Amino acid sequence: MSTAELNELMNTLGRQARTAARAMARASAAAKNTALRALAATLRAQTDALLQANALDVARAREAGLSDPMVDRLKLTPKVIETCAQGCEQLAAMPDLIGEIIGLQQQPSGIRVGQMRVPIGVFGMIYESRPNVTIEAASLSIKSGNACILRGGSEAIDSNRALAQLVQQALEQAGLPREAVQLVPTTDREAVGRLIAMPEYVDVIIPRGGKGLIERISREAKVPVIKHLDGNCHTYVDDPCDLEMAVRVTDNAKTQKYSPCNATESLLVARGVAAAFLPRIGAVFAAKGVEMRCCPEAKALLAGVPGAVVKDATEQDWYEEYLAPIISVKVVAGLDEAIDWINRYGSHHTDAILTTDHRHAQRFLREVDSSSVMVNASTRFADGFEYGLGAEIGISTDKFHARGPVGVAGLTSLKYVVLGEGEVRG
Amino acid sequence: MSTAELNELMNTLGRQARTAARAMARASAAAKNTALRALAATLRAQTDALLQANALDVARAREAGLSDPMVDRLKLTPKVIETCAQGCEQLAAMPDLIGEIIGLQQQPSGIRVGQMRVPIGVFGMIYESRPNVTIEAASLSIKSGNACILRGGSEAIDSNRALAQLVQQALEQAGLPREAVQLVPTTDREAVGRLIAMPEYVDVIIPRGGKGLIERISREAKVPVIKHLDGNCHTYVDDPCDLEMAVRVTDNAKTQKYSPCNATESLLVARGVAAAFLPRIGAVFAAKGVEMRCCPEAKALLAGVPGAVVKDATEQDWYEEYLAPIISVKVVAGLDEAIDWINRYGSHHTDAILTTDHRHAQRFLREVDSSSVMVNASTRFADGFEYGLGAEIGISTDKFHARGPVGVAGLTSLKYVVLGEGEVRG
C-alpha cells in the first residue's frame, strides 16, 4: 500500500469513527447493552468459525518460527472465547455511567452547576498477539459510548478480522453504527504512525505491549496516551506485622503467577522483623525455585536457608521488573526508608504494606506515590476485575487523567453543566 | 546566563520542587490553611512595598512603549491586592480535598477498594503580564498540596519577585517548605524551554496566555499540558423560547465584558423565532455598537434595525474568537442544526441554549461536546469562582483529565487504595 493510499484509508477510518462516536454518545443504555449481549451470543454461536480463523494465524506463527509462549498468547480456545462472552454480559449488567450528573449545587448567582459524565469520543488501541483484547476493547468502547479504532498485531490479523466482524454485526443488530468499532484492515506498519497522529479524529491512544512500544508511541503521539509502563511492584513487611499473614501474602504476590505486571518484584523488610521473617519466606522461595537478589543484610539472613538461591543485588536490580522467578530483597530501617525507597526505585504501579500498625498503614497509603497502594493484600489484586470495574483496558502508571486499572470511567470525561433560569452575570 | 548555567538553575529548582512536593503531600490541612491566611495577612501588610515593586515594572513598560491595555494588565492596585488576599482566605475556608477516599467498596475477594485524592506533584505555570496570577497559582498550589514553579512574564519580574517572596515567608510561617512555591528568577527565554521538558521534576504544565504561546508549549512539552485554547462560545436561541429572557441573557453573554474567553462570539437563532427575536437583540447591539456579521437570512431580518452595523459573515467568521464588540449571527433550522454547528465551528469551551423545551435542553446538554454546556444562563458564568471552585488556575478546553474551569480538584489525581486483611489472589 502506498503512503497516499494508507493515509486515505486511515482518514476514512477516522472520519467514520468520529461520526459513529456522535451516535454512540447519544445511544441509550438499552441499545448499548443489547449490542453487548448480542456480541456474547454471536461469540458463542460462532466459536467454531473463530477457531478456524485463529488456526490460520497459529499456523503462520509456527511457520515463522515464533516461540511457544508467543504462539500460546495467540491461541483462541473455547474457554478464552467463553470468557470474552461472559465479560460482555458482565458489562451489559453494569449500570450505565454516561449522562450521570455529579455534584449539582446551586451557586450564589442562582445557577446550578454540576458535572456530567460523557464519552471521550474516539480512542485508538494498539496491541499485540492476544486476539481476545479485540473483544475487551470493543466491549468497553461500546459500554462507555465511545468509538474506537483497533490496531492488533499482524500475527493475529485473521483472528482479529473474524472477531471485529462479529462486533460490527452485534452493533448493527442493536441499531448502532458498525463503524463504532473498526479494525485497521492492513498490517502495514505505517498505519500505527498515522493512527497516533490524527487529533482531528482520535482523542486518545491506548497502547498495550512492551515498554519499548509504549515509549515510542508516547514520544511520537500527537494526542494523549494512556501509558502502562513497567510494574516494579513492592511488598513491604513492616514492624510490627503478623508474620504468618506476611509469608502467605508475600508468597502469593510473587509466585501466584510470574508474568503479570502486578506481581511483586521487590521485597522490603523492616529490620525489626527481618531475622524472624526472611528465613521463613526464604524457605518458601527456595522450594519454588525463586532466586533472591539481596542487600548484604538480607543475604546474611538468607544464606543458611537450605536450597535458597541467594545473590548480591546490583543497583540495577532495584529498578528491575523481572516477570520471572526472581525477586530483589532489601532490609530497611522501617516505614520512612520503605516509603522513600519505593518512591525512588518503584515504577508507581502497585505497592503494598503488610502491617498491624494503623498509623503506618495510613502513612503508607498517603505517601506512596503509586497508582495502587495496598494494606495487607497481595499486589496481584491490582486488576480491573478484582477492583470491580467489570473489565479493564489497561493499567495507567500515569497520574494524569486515569490512574491504575482503566475501566469504563477511564474512557469518559466530566463536562460542566449549568442549569439556569435566565441568570446573567453582574 | 549560559545554557549550562540555565540548565543548572532549572535542575536545582526542579529538584527542590520535587522534595517540597513530598512534604506538601504530607502536610496537614491546618498547616496549608495557616499558610494561606498568613499570605493574605502579609499581602495586606506589605501592600505599599508591593506597589513600589510594581511601579518599577510599570515604569519599564511605559519606557518600552507598551500599549495602555498592556500596562493596565501589569498594574497592581490596592484593590487587586485585596482581591488576592480575599482569594487566599476563601481557599483557606474551603474543605481540604486531599486524602478523601471515594467509592470504597468491598469486592468478592474480601478486599475493600476505593480511590484516594492526592496531589499531582509539581506543576509548572507559564503566564504573562498580570502579576496577581502569581498569587492565584501559589494559593491553589498550597491548598492542593502540590509544589509549583512559576514563570511569569519578564515585564512583571519585579512585582512577581516581591509577591513570591511573601508567599515563601507565609509557607515558612506555617512550617512548610519555602520551595513549595518557586519563581523562576531569570527572565531568560530559554528557561521556558527547559521548564516544559523536565518530566523528572515537573508533572504538568499550565500555560496562560495567547493561543500561539499555548500551541507552541503543547507542541514542545515533554509532560502533559492543561490547555486553554480559544473560547468561541455560542448562545443558541431555541424555538420555543422566552424571548424577553433571551434578549437579556444574550445581551449579557456578549456585552457585559468583551475580552473574556467566556463571552459569546456567535449567536444562533432558530428559524421559528428569528423574525421576532433578531430585531430586538439587534436594537440592543446597535445601541452598544456591536457589529453583527450575519448569514443572509439574519442579515435580512436585521437590515431594518436603526443604527445596526450589519455585515456578511465569511466562513472564517464562524470560527472567530473576536474578544471585541463583534458577533457572528446565524439562523438555523432548529436544535439539530444548532448542535451540529456548535460541534463543528465551536472551540469546545462554553455554549448555551436558551429554551423552554425540556427535551431540547436535555439533548443540548448531552450532545454539545464542550467543557461547559448551559441552559438558560449567560456563557459569562463559565468561571471557577462562579462554579464554586473557590479559584481557578485556567479553563481547560481539553477532554483529558480536567475539563472546564480548573480549581483544586484539577490539580489532584485519584489513586486506588486497597484495604485487606491478608487476602491473596486465587
Side-chain angles (χ1 to χ4, degrees):
Chain A
M1 197 176 288
S2 74
T3 299
E5 283 167 342
L6 185 83
N7 285 346
E8 172 66 26
L9 168 70
M10 295 306 291
N11 283 343
T12 303
L13 292 181
R15 235 184 346 258
Q16 289 174 350
R18 189 56 88 203
T19 304
R22 298 227 170 90
M24 291 301 287
R26 274 195 304 266
S28 68
K32 291 181 283 184
N33 294 337
T34 298
L36 289 168
R37 288 198 194 93
L39 178 53
T42 187
L43 283 168
R44 289 191 183 110
Q46 299 296 320
T47 296
D48 286 346
L50 290 171
L51 296 180
Q52 279 170 35
N54 184 245
L56 299 174
D57 288 330
V58 171
R60 216 172 38 241
R62 287 231 166 87
E63 265 171 52
L66 261 68
S67 68
D68 281 353
M70 285 286 280
V71 173
D72 273 354
R73 285 164 60 192
L74 195 54
K75 253 189 210 162
L76 284 179
T77 62
K79 185 163 171 261
V80 169
I81 293 170
E82 174 58 26
T83 303
C84 285
Q86 284 177 13
C88 293
E89 288 171 340
Q90 279 170 22
L91 275 175
M94 289 178 72
D96 200 272
L97 297 183
I98 299 304
E100 73 165 333
I101 293 180
I102 61 176
L104 193 73
Q105 291 188 323
Q106 196 180 42
Q107 301 302 320
S109 61
I111 60 173
R112 286 176 296 147
V113 179
Q115 288 178 292
M116 181 190 277
R117 193 174 292 282
V118 292
I120 282 191
V122 178
F123 68 90
M125 176 101 188
I126 296 161
Y127 53 106
E128 297 167 334
S129 311
R130 297 194 307 119
N132 42 322
V133 174
T134 303
I135 298 301
E136 291 170 20
S139 56
L140 272 169
S141 182
I142 293 169
K143 184 72 182 186
S144 58
N146 287 286
C148 64
I149 301 176
L150 306 177
R151 160 64 188 214
S154 56
E155 66 284 0
I157 186 76
D158 282 295
S159 314
N160 286 338
R161 278 187 186 138
L163 289 164
Q165 210 180 353
L166 298 188
V167 173
Q168 295 197 325
Q169 282 167 14
L171 284 163
E172 267 188 338
Q173 275 181 48
L176 296 171
R178 303 168 58 85
E179 293 80 11
V181 177
Q182 297 178 101
L183 181 75
V184 177
T186 170
T187 59
D188 198 318
R189 297 196 123 237
E190 273 188 65
V192 172
R194 184 72 196 126
L195 181 60
I196 66 177
M198 313 195 291
E200 64 278 33
Y201 300 131
V202 176
D203 298 297
V204 58
I205 291 288
I206 306 171
R208 243 163 95 165
K211 196 176 174 185
L213 171 81
I214 292 166
E215 282 179 340
R216 187 173 60 84
I217 284 171
S218 304
R219 219 166 32 237
E220 294 171 12
K222 304 274 182 251
V223 295
V225 176
I226 294 181
K227 277 193 279 295
H228 174 188
L229 294 172
D230 42 356
N232 177 17
C233 303
H234 292 72
T235 294
Y236 165 58
V237 179
D238 191 34
D239 175 15
C241 178
D242 171 348
L243 291 187
E244 195 85 30
M245 182 269 280
V247 171
R248 193 174 70 244
V249 172
T250 306
D251 174 23
N252 182 267
K254 179 65 215 176
T255 74
Q256 194 252 348
K257 215 169 173 186
Y258 295 114
S259 58
C261 57
N262 55 20
T264 284
E265 303 290 12
S266 196
L267 172 63
L268 305 180
V269 184
R271 185 158 292 130
V273 299
F277 175 72
L278 276 176
R280 291 181 62 180
I281 192 70
V284 173
F285 286 160
K288 296 192 175 178
V290 176
E291 179 183 320
M292 292 165 270
R293 303 201 181 161
C294 302
C295 72
E297 203 172 337
K299 195 181 174 195
L301 290 167
L302 286 162
V305 175
V309 183
V310 179
K311 297 190 177 165
D312 291 314
T314 63
E315 174 74 5
Q316 182 54 35
D317 275 306
W318 308 122
Y319 291 105
E320 208 63 56
E321 181 187 31
Y322 299 113
L323 305 176
I326 308 172
I327 190 166
S328 63
V329 185
K330 162 90 184 160
V331 174
V332 294
L335 182 69
D336 284 309
E337 190 182 352
I339 292 171
D340 287 347
W341 186 272
I342 292 168
N343 285 336
R344 177 168 171 202
Y345 289 104
S347 65
H348 310 292
H349 189 297
T350 299
D351 301 286
I353 185 174
L354 310 181
T355 189
T356 54
D357 185 305
H358 176 72
R359 199 177 133 269
H360 288 191
Q362 293 300 317
R363 280 199 51 208
F364 191 91
L365 287 175
R366 283 193 67 147
E367 297 179 30
V368 169
D369 185 25
S370 298
S371 71
S372 289
V373 281
M374 302 186 169
V375 177
N376 297 337
S378 168
T379 57
R380 288 280 292 112
F381 280 115
D383 174 288
F385 289 97
E386 295 291 341
Y387 282 6
L389 307 182
E392 75 176 32
I393 204 154
I395 295 182
S396 168
T397 51
D398 263 341
K399 294 185 201 176
F400 213 63
H401 192 71
R403 193 173 185 186
V406 179
V408 172
L411 296 171
T412 64
S413 77
L414 291 167
K415 69 181 179 188
Y416 279 97
V417 293
V418 175
L419 306 180
E421 295 178 19
E423 285 83 357
V424 297
R425 191 151 169 199
Chain B
M1 195 176 291
S2 74
T3 299
E5 285 167 341
L6 185 83
N7 284 346
E8 173 66 28
L9 168 70
M10 295 306 291
N11 282 344
T12 302
L13 292 180
R15 236 184 346 259
Q16 290 173 350
R18 187 57 87 203
T19 304
R22 297 227 170 90
M24 291 301 287
R26 274 196 303 267
S28 69
K32 291 181 283 184
N33 294 337
T34 299
L36 289 168
R37 289 199 195 92
L39 178 55
T42 187
L43 284 168
R44 290 192 183 107
Q46 300 296 320
T47 296
D48 285 347
L50 290 171
L51 296 180
Q52 279 170 35
N54 183 247
L56 299 175
D57 288 330
V58 170
R60 218 172 36 242
R62 288 233 167 84
E63 264 171 51
L66 262 66
S67 69
D68 281 353
M70 286 286 279
V71 173
D72 273 353
R73 285 164 59 192
L74 195 53
K75 254 189 210 160
L76 284 179
T77 63
K79 183 161 172 263
V80 169
I81 293 170
E82 175 58 26
T83 303
C84 285
Q86 285 177 13
C88 293
E89 288 171 339
Q90 279 171 22
L91 274 176
M94 288 177 73
D96 200 271
L97 296 184
I98 299 305
E100 73 163 334
I101 292 181
I102 60 175
L104 193 72
Q105 290 189 324
Q106 197 180 40
Q107 302 302 321
S109 62
I111 59 173
R112 286 176 296 146
V113 180
Q115 289 178 293
M116 181 190 275
R117 193 174 290 283
V118 292
I120 282 191
V122 178
F123 69 89
M125 177 101 189
I126 297 161
Y127 53 104
E128 296 167 333
S129 311
R130 297 195 305 119
N132 42 322
V133 175
T134 303
I135 298 300
E136 291 170 19
S139 56
L140 271 170
S141 183
I142 293 169
K143 184 72 182 185
S144 58
N146 287 287
C148 65
I149 302 176
L150 306 178
R151 160 66 189 214
S154 56
E155 66 283 1
I157 187 75
D158 282 295
S159 314
N160 286 338
R161 278 188 186 137
L163 289 164
Q165 211 180 351
L166 298 187
V167 174
Q168 296 197 324
Q169 283 167 13
L171 284 164
E172 266 188 338
Q173 275 181 49
L176 296 172
R178 304 168 57 87
E179 293 80 11
V181 176
Q182 297 177 101
L183 182 75
V184 176
T186 168
T187 59
D188 197 318
R189 298 196 123 236
E190 273 188 66
V192 172
R194 184 72 197 125
L195 181 60
I196 65 176
M198 312 196 292
E200 64 278 33
Y201 301 130
V202 176
D203 299 297
V204 57
I205 291 288
I206 306 170
R208 245 163 94 165
K211 195 176 175 184
L213 171 80
I214 291 166
E215 282 179 337
R216 187 171 60 83
I217 284 171
S218 305
R219 219 167 31 238
E220 294 171 11
K222 302 277 183 247
V223 295
V225 176
I226 294 181
K227 278 193 277 294
H228 175 188
L229 294 172
D230 42 355
N232 177 16
C233 304
H234 293 72
T235 295
Y236 165 57
V237 179
D238 190 35
D239 175 15
C241 179
D242 170 350
L243 292 187
E244 195 84 32
M245 182 269 280
V247 171
R248 191 173 72 244
V249 172
T250 305
D251 174 22
N252 182 267
K254 180 65 217 176
T255 73
Q256 193 253 349
K257 214 169 173 185
Y258 295 113
S259 59
C261 57
N262 55 19
T264 284
E265 303 289 13
S266 195
L267 171 63
L268 305 181
V269 184
R271 185 157 293 128
V273 300
F277 175 73
L278 276 176
R280 291 180 61 180
I281 192 71
V284 173
F285 287 158
K288 297 193 176 179
V290 176
E291 178 182 321
M292 291 166 269
R293 303 203 181 160
C294 303
C295 73
E297 204 173 336
K299 194 181 174 195
L301 291 167
L302 286 162
V305 175
V309 183
V310 179
K311 296 190 177 165
D312 290 313
T314 64
E315 174 74 5
Q316 182 55 35
D317 275 307
W318 308 121
Y319 290 104
E320 209 65 57
E321 182 187 29
Y322 300 113
L323 305 176
I326 309 172
I327 191 167
S328 64
V329 186
K330 161 90 185 160
V331 174
V332 294
L335 182 69
D336 283 308
E337 191 183 352
I339 292 172
D340 288 346
W341 186 273
I342 292 168
N343 285 335
R344 177 170 172 198
Y345 289 103
S347 65
H348 311 291
H349 189 299
T350 300
D351 300 286
I353 184 174
L354 311 181
T355 188
T356 53
D357 184 307
H358 175 72
R359 199 177 132 271
H360 287 192
Q362 293 300 317
R363 279 198 54 207
F364 191 90
L365 287 175
R366 284 193 65 146
E367 297 178 30
V368 169
D369 185 25
S370 298
S371 72
S372 290
V373 281
M374 302 184 167
V375 177
N376 296 337
S378 167
T379 56
R380 287 280 293 112
F381 280 115
D383 174 287
F385 290 98
E386 295 291 342
Y387 282 6
L389 307 182
E392 75 177 31
I393 202 152
I395 296 182
S396 167
T397 52
D398 262 341
K399 295 185 200 177
F400 214 62
H401 191 72
R403 193 173 185 185
V406 179
V408 173
L411 295 172
T412 66
S413 77
L414 290 167
K415 69 180 179 190
Y416 279 97
V417 293
V418 175
L419 306 179
E421 297 179 16
E423 284 83 357
V424 297
R425 190 149 169 201

